[in-house]
Amino acid sequence: GLADLQAARQRLVELESLREEHQRLLEDYRAWDDRLKELRHALERDLSAAQERLNTIYRRLERREDLLAERAGLTTRSEELRALQAEVARLRSEETRLSERYAESLDLQRRIAELQGVINVRRDSLIGAFEEQQRRVAALQAEIATLPDLEAQLRSTKRELLHVQSLEDELATRRDDVAVIAQRQGELQAIYNAVEAEGKELKEKLQLAERGDAACPVCGSELGADGLARLIAGYESQRMALRARILELRQEQRALESQMNDHRARMDELERLCAARGELEARRARLELQIGQARESQKALADASQTLVQLQQQLDQRDYAPEEQQALDVCVAQLGEWGDPRSIRAE
């Protein structure tokens, strides 16, 4: 298209160069016109002189035979002059016609160049639209081609979110278990404190009994050796029971502490894993948006492909400037009938 436009511009330059030739011909025409005027004035003077001579001849009737002969010669000359005037007029008319035809042919060539330029611009514009539509179709096809992979990524992301949800449920359960364990640890600590206090009190009573200062715990009377022995044995039995109870409490506390540590370690791991929810949610939203866009592209691809086919048909059928093309055909036909400006100038 650019080459055609440059050729048309070159043709315009050539036509502009012919304008100077046309101007020269017009100047030649004016010179010949002036020459014809001079000839006509000369003929008119000759005719006037001839007429004067005829008048003289008429006045000289006595020499009629001589005058008639002279008159015949003058008449012949007059007829020759009239024939020459007619030929000059014909040539002048033909020159005018050819000059007009030459100017019209130049105008036709300029009009042809203008129309061809418009057609080339329209064609280039349509080619640009066609190429842009090709790129749009390719982009839509590329976007649609990613749809299966995007859907697979979305399914994988949803599975990961379900897994995170199960981890969050486990984390909530473990938090409840930790709260229960903490409550039980508090209860055990209270029981342990009570048992420890009871043990201290029992230790003091045992120490008193072993020193012989102990009294009957019921009536407060002094005890004999047998009563004291029985009291000490009872205190020892209670002391052993308290020690066993303390041992049980410590074992339960250690078991609870172990469970608490296990829960806390798992909870730390779960919190780290559950922290990925935000990223997964963002990924799911992004994938859903991309999938929606790809599905919209599927709908747009049909229209874009149809438009591409229509543009291709316009290019194949040269249907991009029908009015200008019709006018160009008319101008080319007319120029073919009249001939090229060079041939008209030569004629």
Side-chain angles (χ1 to χ4, degrees):
L2 183 60
D4 295 340
L5 183 59
Q6 291 177 348
R9 289 177 176 173
Q10 182 65 30
R11 187 61 179 160
L12 281 175
V13 171
E14 294 176 0
L15 293 175
E16 289 296 330
S17 65
L18 292 177
R19 186 188 298 276
E20 297 179 359
E21 181 66 17
H22 177 255
Q23 186 65 30
R24 186 184 63 79
L25 290 174
L26 288 177
E27 292 174 357
D28 293 341
Y29 167 78
R30 294 189 185 96
W32 280 107
D33 187 56
D34 294 336
R35 179 60 179 164
L36 287 173
K37 289 180 180 178
E38 292 175 359
L39 291 174
R40 185 178 62 186
H41 291 325
L43 287 173
E44 289 175 352
R45 287 194 301 271
D46 292 341
L47 288 173
S48 178
Q51 186 65 41
E52 182 64 26
R53 291 183 67 184
L54 285 173
N55 292 334
T56 302
I57 291 171
Y58 287 137
R59 287 192 298 269
R60 297 176 181 177
L61 292 176
E62 64 278 5
R63 295 188 302 164
R64 183 174 180 181
E65 290 78 6
D66 296 335
L67 292 176
L68 287 175
E70 186 178 356
R71 180 181 177 184
L74 291 174
T75 302
T76 302
R77 179 67 184 277
S78 177
E79 291 175 353
E80 291 175 353
L81 289 175
R82 289 191 181 93
L84 182 60
Q85 282 183 327
E87 181 64 17
V88 169
R90 187 188 67 79
L91 291 174
R92 182 176 180 183
S93 175
E94 182 66 14
E95 183 183 16
T96 301
R97 184 185 67 81
L98 290 175
S99 297
E100 293 174 353
R101 183 63 55 82
Y102 179 76
E104 290 173 354
S105 66
L106 289 177
D107 291 338
L108 273 179
Q109 284 192 330
R110 283 192 294 269
R111 179 59 176 162
I112 288 171
E114 292 173 358
L115 290 171
Q116 189 63 56
V118 172
I119 291 171
N120 292 339
V121 169
R122 297 277 182 84
R123 182 192 60 194
D124 293 343
S125 176
L126 189 61
I127 290 174
F130 176 77
E131 292 175 348
E132 177 64 27
Q133 197 67 17
Q134 278 185 320
R135 290 190 290 271
R136 173 169 168 75
V137 169
L140 290 173
Q141 290 173 341
E143 188 172 356
I144 292 170
T146 63
L147 185 58
D149 182 59
L150 292 173
E151 291 175 340
Q153 292 183 41
L154 181 60
R155 287 192 296 270
S156 175
T157 302
K158 287 182 177 179
R159 285 194 298 269
E160 292 182 47
L161 282 171
L162 288 175
H163 178 63
V164 170
Q165 182 63 48
S166 66
L167 295 178
E168 289 175 344
D169 294 341
E170 181 184 351
L171 180 60
T173 300
R174 287 185 177 272
R175 284 173 177 167
D176 293 340
D177 293 342
V178 166
V180 172
I181 291 172
Q183 183 179 358
R184 180 57 181 166
Q185 284 179 328
E187 293 174 354
L188 288 176
Q189 187 63 43
I191 295 172
Y192 181 83
N193 293 337
V195 171
E196 189 177 30
E198 185 179 353
K200 288 180 180 180
E201 183 181 353
L202 185 59
K203 181 179 180 182
E204 292 174 357
K205 290 179 179 181
L206 183 58
Q207 289 175 351
L208 289 173
E210 288 175 347
R211 289 197 303 267
D213 296 335
C216 177
V218 179
C219 62
S221 62
E222 293 184 2
L223 297 173
D226 293 337
L228 187 60
R230 286 192 300 272
L231 182 60
I232 290 173
Y235 284 158
E236 285 291 345
S237 176
Q238 292 179 21
R239 186 179 182 184
M240 293 299 294
L242 289 175
R243 285 178 176 175
R245 180 59 175 157
I246 288 174
L247 182 60
E248 291 176 1
L249 292 172
R250 285 178 177 174
Q251 289 177 347
E252 187 175 355
Q253 284 179 335
R254 283 195 293 271
L256 290 175
E257 186 65 29
S258 177
Q259 293 178 16
M260 180 68 81
N261 290 335
D262 292 342
H263 279 304
R264 285 174 177 170
R266 179 60 177 164
M267 286 170 61
D268 291 340
E269 182 182 4
L270 290 173
E271 287 175 351
R272 179 177 57 80
L273 294 174
C274 292
R277 170 177 281 278
E279 180 182 352
L280 291 173
E281 291 287 357
R283 188 197 304 168
R284 181 179 65 177
R286 175 177 55 81
L287 288 171
E288 288 176 346
L289 177 61
Q290 291 176 337
I291 289 172
Q293 292 173 344
R295 287 174 179 166
E296 289 296 326
S297 297
Q298 283 181 323
K299 299 177 183 178
L301 180 60
D303 294 337
S305 299
Q306 183 178 1
T307 302
L308 185 64
V309 170
Q310 292 174 350
L311 292 174
Q312 183 65 62
Q313 290 176 348
Q314 281 186 275
L315 287 172
D316 294 341
Q317 298 172 3
R318 303 171 61 87
D319 184 21
Y320 33 78
E323 295 181 0
E324 288 77 5
Q325 186 64 51
Q326 182 179 3
L328 178 63
D329 294 339
V330 172
C331 291
V332 170
Q334 186 65 55
L335 186 62
E337 180 182 348
W338 287 351
D340 185 82
R342 290 191 180 92
S343 63
I344 296 176
R345 184 178 61 183
E347 185 179 354

